Amino acid sequence: MGQGDSDKDSVGFINGRPAKVDDDGKVTYMDAKEKNAFTPSPKKPRPASRFVQRVRFVIGILVLVAVIKFLIIPFFETGGGMADTREPPGDATHFDPIANFAAIKA
């Protein structure tokens, strides 16, 4: 290869930055506009099909219903986890709250 066989404008990297060397030997760093001309644009991901979107929606609804049924409702039914759920004194099948008020209060 002789001197006439070289590229008109050479593109390379200097100190990790893309640069262009002209025929006269002048080095110019490429700005963002020129840089994008030499680098391929990233491929955009293909959008999900309608079937996949519907399956994701149904799974999301099922998860939401399960969270409401098994976490949120029990949390509020017990007063935020602060409900007093001790066994009543005496026989639970024949419990009289008025007669056992003193025992309950203690």
Side-chain angles (χ1 to χ4, degrees):
M1 286 180 73
Q3 285 181 325
D5 295 337
S6 65
D7 294 330
K8 185 174 183 180
D9 291 329
S10 297
V11 178
F13 290 90
I14 298 175
N15 294 330
R17 292 175 52 194
K20 181 170 46 172
V21 180
D22 296 329
D23 282 338
D24 59 356
K26 182 180 176 185
V27 177
T28 56
Y29 287 103
M30 296 172 17
D31 63 5
K33 184 177 181 183
E34 289 176 330
K35 180 181 172 186
N36 289 336
F38 295 104
T39 57
S41 60
K43 288 186 176 182
K44 293 181 181 177
R46 199 173 79 189
S49 67
R50 290 194 187 271
F51 176 74
V52 172
Q53 290 175 350
R54 288 179 181 151
V55 168
R56 288 178 182 166
F57 180 75
V58 169
I59 290 173
I61 294 296
L62 291 174
V63 168
L64 181 65
V65 168
V67 165
I68 290 172
K69 182 176 181 180
F70 297 112
L71 293 176
I72 295 174
I73 291 175
F75 179 77
F76 286 108
E77 283 179 347
T78 62
M82 300 301 291
D84 188 7
T85 57
R86 290 179 282 167
E87 291 290 324
D91 185 15
T93 57
H94 297 13
F95 180 69
D96 183 13
I98 304 300
N100 294 320
F101 183 72
I104 293 172
K105 188 176 179 182

